[in-house]
Amino acid sequence: MNRFRALEISFLSFFIAFLTLNSCRKFDNGQEVPAYIKLDKIDLVTDYNVQGAASSKIVDAWVHVDNEFIGVFELPAKIPVLKSGNHSIRIRPGILLNGNSDTRCSNATYAYYEGKIDLKEGKETPLDVKLSYAKFTDIEFKDSYDLDGPGLQVKTDPELFNLSNEGITKENYAEPSIVNIDQANVSPLDKRSTGVMHVTLDDKKRIMCIRPVKEFDFFKNGSYNQDQECYLEIESRSDVNIALYMAAFNSDGRSVLDEYAFIKSKKDWSKLYFHLTPFISRNFKTAKKITFFLIGYNPAEEKNGEKVYTKKEIFIDNIKLVHT
């Protein structure tokens, strides 16, 4: 993680506390009553065929007015500004890193919002903010599981994980499929989706272990930009916890595995952003390519002294690997 991003995360709580104490201080022009910007949400807009789904989970707004940093505000927000009249405004979208509310930062893969706003002392001015991916953002991988799309871009891969001590063999790995959202009775976050990835775990198919069909080269020509930001976006609805593993493949064929994060089981859809920059930075000197694994396991339950496996379902949609 670069130094600026680390400072963003470390001092976010300080910024919020500072704003609370100073939001009604007397400004240099004598104005004592603030104007307010009413910002309920920030929406993402995409070219669906090129960039995939427009689903997002933007939780904060990083606000600048006339190039002055006003602060970070959790959405929906009523933002106090000690200015009136026409002013320029710039907003950076904020997300939760790895789904953790303690690690909030702006998302560098999204574009800024820039515009003009007419502020009135003591009045609320509503603002409708729509953003796209930044022009310099590359979408290295996307898998949206539409019924008329290219099909699954992930595959089952049991080779890197030895689970024989758990009694797991190759026959216990469940294969993913694409299902119609109406037949599966699920409503994905992006309403343009027609299908989602589905995996069923039971007493025979006890584990999901999937990875993209290709590996990703972030280390072309043996170099890597330390300021490059990389995120893995995932939407899921699952009866079991899902582990995210990162893998780096060296030139001699060896791999480095890192149990990176967990997606907690949830009955409702959730959108998460996993910050992969630290993993890439740790491995760029030796790795040739990287990939990721999603692993879900159906554990046995004890009933009347016997092991019982209940049916568990996993739904996944709109996987994206994006970087600046």
Side-chain angles (χ1 to χ4, degrees):
M1 184 183 300
N2 62 45
R3 182 177 299 176
F4 177 71
R5 181 50 52 92
L7 286 173
E8 279 189 348
I9 297 169
S10 300
F11 289 106
L12 179 55
S13 296
F14 167 77
F15 283 141
I16 294 174
F18 177 82
L19 288 165
T20 302
L21 293 172
N22 291 275
S23 61
C24 291
R25 61 182 170 81
K26 188 173 182 179
F27 195 53
D28 293 341
N29 62 6
Q31 181 177 337
E32 294 180 329
V33 178
Y36 295 95
I37 302 170
K38 187 175 186 295
L39 181 57
D40 292 330
K41 61 178 181 174
I42 297 176
D43 291 321
L44 180 68
V45 178
T46 63
D47 179 336
Y48 190 77
N49 293 325
V50 176
Q51 299 170 316
S55 63
S56 63
K57 189 176 181 181
I58 298 171
V59 296
D60 297 322
W62 295 60
V63 181
H64 294 73
V65 176
D66 295 337
N67 293 320
E68 177 188 350
F69 181 54
I70 303 299
V72 183
F73 300 88
E74 186 172 2
L75 299 175
K78 180 180 175 181
I79 303 167
V81 182
L82 282 165
K83 296 177 183 287
S84 60
N86 287 303
H87 297 272
S88 62
I89 184 169
R90 183 176 64 176
I91 297 175
R92 295 155 58 195
I95 60 172
L96 305 180
L97 287 188
N98 307 326
N100 188 343
S101 60
D102 292 331
T103 52
R104 312 170 86 101
C105 74
S106 62
N107 187 342
T109 65
Y110 290 159
Y112 293 168
Y113 170 86
E114 292 187 288
K116 297 288 186 180
I117 189 167
D118 185 13
L119 298 173
K120 296 178 174 61
E121 185 176 329
K123 303 291 185 182
E124 289 185 9
T125 301
L127 190 63
D128 182 26
V129 174
K130 290 181 171 58
L131 302 173
S132 62
Y133 282 100
K135 291 181 180 179
F136 49 76
T137 295
D138 289 328
I139 299 179
E140 193 81 18
F141 173 82
K142 62 181 176 68
D143 209 1
S144 296
Y145 311 112
D146 289 320
L147 299 179
D148 57 353
L152 286 168
Q153 302 300 302
V154 297
K155 64 179 181 179
T156 296
D157 187 348
E159 299 300 327
L160 285 180
F161 296 89
N162 183 358
L163 296 173
S164 57
N165 60 332
E166 299 287 341
I168 298 292
T169 66
K170 289 185 178 180
E171 287 71 32
N172 297 127
Y173 284 78
E175 291 290 338
S177 63
I178 297 176
V179 296
N180 185 296
I181 60 172
D182 295 326
Q183 294 175 348
N185 194 29
V186 293
S187 180
L189 297 178
D190 191 296
K191 302 307 178 186
R192 293 173 294 184
S193 295
T194 57
V196 295
M197 186 176 76
H198 177 235
V199 177
T200 298
L201 302 179
D202 53 26
D203 60 330
K204 295 181 176 61
K205 301 297 183 180
R206 291 160 51 194
I207 187 168
M208 174 191 78
C209 181
I210 57 173
R211 58 172 287 188
V213 296
K214 67 173 185 176
E215 294 156 5
F216 308 103
D217 184 3
F218 283 85
F219 316 103
K220 297 179 179 70
N221 303 319
S223 63
Y224 173 72
N225 182 356
Q226 293 279 356
D227 291 326
Q228 179 177 339
E229 290 290 336
C230 181
Y231 293 98
L232 180 66
E233 302 181 16
I234 301 177
E235 296 164 26
S236 66
R237 199 189 99 176
S238 176
D239 293 333
V240 298
N241 293 335
I242 301 172
L244 168 64
Y245 277 79
M246 296 301 302
F249 300 96
N250 300 333
S251 56
D252 59 4
R254 291 182 302 166
S255 60
V256 176
L257 280 174
D258 189 341
E259 187 177 20
Y260 205 71
F262 280 91
I263 304 173
K264 293 182 180 179
S265 61
K266 255 187 127 174
K267 294 297 183 183
D268 299 321
W269 283 97
S270 62
K271 167 95 176 187
L272 296 176
Y273 301 84
F274 294 102
H275 192 219
L276 304 188
T277 305
F279 176 81
I280 297 171
S281 297
R282 286 197 300 270
N283 291 282
F284 82 96
K285 290 184 179 180
T286 57
K288 300 295 290 183
K289 293 183 178 181
I290 68 166
T291 193
F292 62 88
F293 290 79
L294 297 175
I295 301 175
Y297 179 63
N298 187 12
E301 300 173 10
E302 290 284 344
K303 288 188 177 180
N304 300 323
E306 296 184 356
K307 289 185 177 181
V308 176
Y309 295 91
T310 58
K311 178 181 175 182
K312 303 290 174 55
E313 292 189 296
I314 301 171
F315 296 96
I316 295 175
D317 200 14
N318 296 321
I319 302 176
K320 291 184 190 179
L321 182 63
V322 301
H323 63 87
T324 57

